[in-house]
Amino acid sequence: MAELTLTDQFTTIFEAKTGSKEGLSDFQKGSFEAFNTLGLPHRKSEAYKYTQIARILEKNFSEVSVPLETSWDIAEIKERFYPVNEANHLVFINGVWKSDLSEIKSDANHLQISVISESELDLLGKVSNSSRDPFAQLNGAQFSGGLFFKAARNSDNIPTFIYHFLDAENTSISFPRILIDAETGSQTRVYEKTFVNGDAAALVIGMLESKVESNASVRFTKLQQYPKNVYAVEGIYASQDKDSRFHTNTFTFGGAVIRNNVVIDIDGENCEGHMNGLYVISGNTQVDNNTAVDHKQPHSFSNELYKGVIDENARGVFNGKIYVRPEAQKTNAFQSNNNIILSDSATVNTKPQLEIWADDVKCSHGCTTGQLDEDAIFYLRARGISKVRAKALMLTAFAVETLEEVKEELVKDEIESIILNKLG
Amino acid sequence: MLKIENLQASIEDKEILKGINLEVKPGEVHAIMGPNGSGKSTLASVLAGREEYEVTGGSVSYMGKDLLEFAPEERAREGIFLAFQYPVEIPGVSTTNFLKTAVNQVRESKGLKPLDAVSFLKEMKEKMKLVDIDQALLSRALNEGFSGGEKKRNEIFQMAMLEPKLSILDETDSGLDIDALKIVADGVNKLKSKDNATIVVTHYQRLLDYIVPDFVHVLYKGKIVKSGDKNLALELEEKGYDWIKDEEGVEA
């Protein structure tokens, strides 16, 4: 039997899919056509210059399917919940949202949580422009049991925790999809993390869209503490109306190859858009953060801070685009990417990219890649602190700065302890 | 306490110290003076164990042990303290957190239990008075955005917390106005005892009005060319370093 290419396999998975409602099925067909037209990023694709994603995936996923059964049992799943009573705990298994395993505390008047259906077609795939992103299109074609999350003006502002459970006993793939509609004046805090059973290669093609209406606030924090058999391409696409705030925090501590695409459209005045990230990686892990903020309206602010600590053979990639359109006068847009390399074989590729068409703006970007400051290490040692401890102090201090925007103490503590474990 | 014999050191193959001899006994204050580039700071750095400097000859004995065998942190734990000329800014690490780590690592090396949070705070409050340093400053990142005076006061505060046997003050007066200088000198004097010793490295005499030395040594071109009591510092102040240079020139 001739070996199937990955795209052939996607077709098989697509054709086997059943149960999609008619309206949705049109959307999914359209997405699949778009994916087939775009194809996987080719070898010379600028957006994937440092992560040869097609080659990597072809090599590791010669036979792949969405798991039909799970080895996770209910007790195991509930044990993983953060111990917060006043919270929504939402469970995905292999990319499919499971309402029966989820615990929802919010009143339906404040927060609507349901499976993505044809009623959301006016938003789905349209929050911001993902038409050139093959993985966004692939997810659009393949997802099932997506989560629709609609926060009303009088939202109760209790946190929502999303837990993904993956089965990787055999080579697997999943397509989680989340659609957030933050209505005018609403407050939303979402935290996301993933658990994996099994050590066969697992591929996650994830997609989150968030519409942030006027004067709404959305905070989204993602913890990617993947084992080394996980490959992921995850998109976050947001668009902001006037006076809104959007924060993303992405923490990556492991995995095989992780690609994060974060895109924010600032399509209103007086908005704040924040993108923060931290990657602390070792072994052969490769993390590629690709971000873009598009200022379409005047008087808004965006800030981006990504930090990395890269050890052994790991590789960190950062690409940050800032667009300021001619109408977007008085824009303030800042970006920085700082990396510390701990071994001779660790690599960092960092590329800021600013395209500014307006003339009355404040924009800055900066990136640094280096080793630990020897003078600082000597200073600490001269006070009796061992070399190992001195390095740990400095690295953790460097890393925890990215935690400032994580407001949920339990999550913050959890991430801090991961950092201390890895660097302390 | 400290015996330096014929110490020679170089950095990047450039010889800086060309045979230093110096003995320091408990309770003594030694001033090391000299023009810029004479090797004063190099001497301080070599004693503290900065690895960029290569010791090419001679010996340093401290409390009967070969000091040069020790890593910088071991020297600190044995009671050597270097007050830096340029204290390093360390973003993200608060002075309190840093000092707690330092104090406890020093204690651990002596087989003592780490100080708990309450005892540590008590200790800190006591020592803060010595150098008139503010609590708010100590919760900030170590030296980050501190003024020159704040940095130097923080150095002396650290010295007070670590209670060294031998303190080396490297140009502690540089960048200080007279009020800050008095506060810093006052702190150093309060920490003085018959069991510990101080080496004051300075370019100018004025610090020595406040920290009165028992001995003054003049370092020039990597060697101690003149030693005396505190009057030597005054003489230097009056005649300037050209006097030494001229004398040396004649001798050479």
Side-chain angles (χ1 to χ4, degrees), chain A residues 100-120:
Chain A
D100 53 333
L101 297 174
S102 302
E103 289 175 6
I104 297 170
K105 278 281 160 69
S106 287
D107 188 286
N109 294 323
H110 299 142
L111 186 65
Q112 180 196 332
I113 294 176
S114 59
V115 70
I116 293 174
S117 69
E118 55 202 355
S119 333
E120 283 81 59

Side-chain angles (χ1 to χ4, degrees), chain A residues 10-11 13-37 95-96 115-118 121 124-126 134-147 175-177 205 207 209:
Chain A
F10 290 145
T11 307
I13 295 169
F14 182 75
E15 283 169 353
K17 241 160 59 74
T18 52
S20 195
K21 289 179 188 153
E22 210 158 295
L24 261 190
S25 117
D26 282 346
F27 170 81
Q28 301 210 286
K29 276 182 199 149
S31 299
F32 198 58
E33 275 165 29
F35 168 72
N36 280 326
T37 309
V96 179
V115 70
I116 293 174
S117 69
E118 55 202 355
L121 280 173
L124 192 64
K126 298 182 183 68
F135 294 99
Q137 297 306 319
L138 181 60
N139 177 288
Q142 307 278 26
F143 82 90
S144 69
L147 174 75
F175 302 96
R177 189 169 190 112
I205 307 287
M207 180 73 173
E209 291 178 281

Side-chain angles (χ1 to χ4, degrees), chain B residues 19-47:
Chain B
I20 303 269
N21 293 292
L22 180 69
E23 185 166 2
V24 178
K25 297 200 175 90
E28 292 178 349
V29 176
H30 289 249
I32 307 226
M33 302 185 69
N36 290 329
S38 58
K40 300 189 300 287
S41 283
T42 300
L43 177 60
S45 295
V46 168
L47 292 178

Side-chain angles (χ1 to χ4, degrees), chain B residues 8-240:
Chain B
Q8 296 156 47
S10 56
I11 187 165
E12 289 166 356
D13 291 330
K14 189 171 178 252
E15 198 181 16
I16 312 275
L17 301 183
K18 300 172 182 171
I20 303 269
N21 293 292
L22 180 69
E23 185 166 2
V24 178
K25 297 200 175 90
E28 292 178 349
V29 176
H30 289 249
I32 307 226
M33 302 185 69
N36 290 329
S38 58
K40 300 189 300 287
S41 283
T42 300
L43 177 60
S45 295
V46 168
L47 292 178
R50 198 182 269 275
E51 281 157 352
E52 295 96 294
Y53 294 94
E54 194 194 346
V55 174
T56 51
S59 66
V60 181
S61 149
Y62 169 73
M63 314 278 289
K65 292 173 188 161
D66 179 2
L67 183 70
L68 301 176
E69 288 288 301
F70 291 146
E73 59 269 35
E74 292 168 328
R75 298 178 196 208
R77 291 168 192 172
E78 292 292 325
I80 290 184
F81 182 90
L82 171 67
F84 282 59
Q85 180 177 7
Y86 304 109
V88 184
E89 300 195 2
I90 305 188
V93 181
S94 73
T95 304
T96 308
N97 183 19
F98 147 72
L99 260 180
K100 198 171 175 199
T101 309
V103 166
N104 283 333
Q105 287 226 307
V106 171
R107 287 178 67 89
E108 196 187 317
S109 76
K110 295 184 172 134
L112 297 170
K113 274 198 276 184
L115 282 184
D116 60 60
V118 178
S119 329
F120 178 77
L121 271 177
K122 194 168 158 256
E123 180 85 12
M124 226 173 67
K125 289 232 158 77
E126 233 165 74
K127 301 291 166 65
M128 277 159 58
K129 288 182 206 145
L130 275 180
V131 282
D132 191 23
I133 202 163
D134 194 50
Q135 174 88 57
L137 202 66
L138 301 181
S139 355
R140 278 170 46 189
L142 186 52
N143 294 324
E144 198 179 38
F146 286 24
S147 71
E150 287 170 336
K151 281 182 185 170
K152 296 300 171 78
R153 257 189 286 172
N154 193 8
E155 291 293 289
I156 305 307
F157 171 64
Q158 291 170 33
M159 180 174 142
M161 289 297 291
L162 293 167
E163 298 175 339
K165 294 194 185 80
L166 175 66
S167 307
I168 304 158
L169 312 182
D170 187 8
E171 307 264 5
T172 293
D173 50 337
S174 69
L176 292 190
D177 62 31
I178 197 72
D179 293 329
L181 187 77
K182 278 184 191 164
I183 292 170
V184 164
D186 195 38
V188 173
N189 288 329
K190 281 181 190 154
L191 295 169
K192 228 160 60 176
S193 81
K194 64 175 175 38
D195 300 319
N196 61 26
T198 312
I199 297 175
V200 182
V201 174
T202 183
H203 184 83
Y204 300 104
Q205 187 270 337
R206 61 172 194 165
L207 180 63
L208 305 179
D209 284 343
Y210 302 97
I211 304 173
V212 181
D214 301 301
F215 302 94
V216 174
H217 312 277
V218 180
L219 194 60
Y220 182 60
K221 289 192 176 169
K223 279 186 172 175
I224 290 177
V225 295
K226 217 170 184 59
S227 293
D229 61 11
K230 62 180 178 186
N231 291 317
L232 177 57
L234 295 170
E235 202 176 347
L236 270 175
E237 179 76 1
E238 194 184 312
K239 297 184 179 171

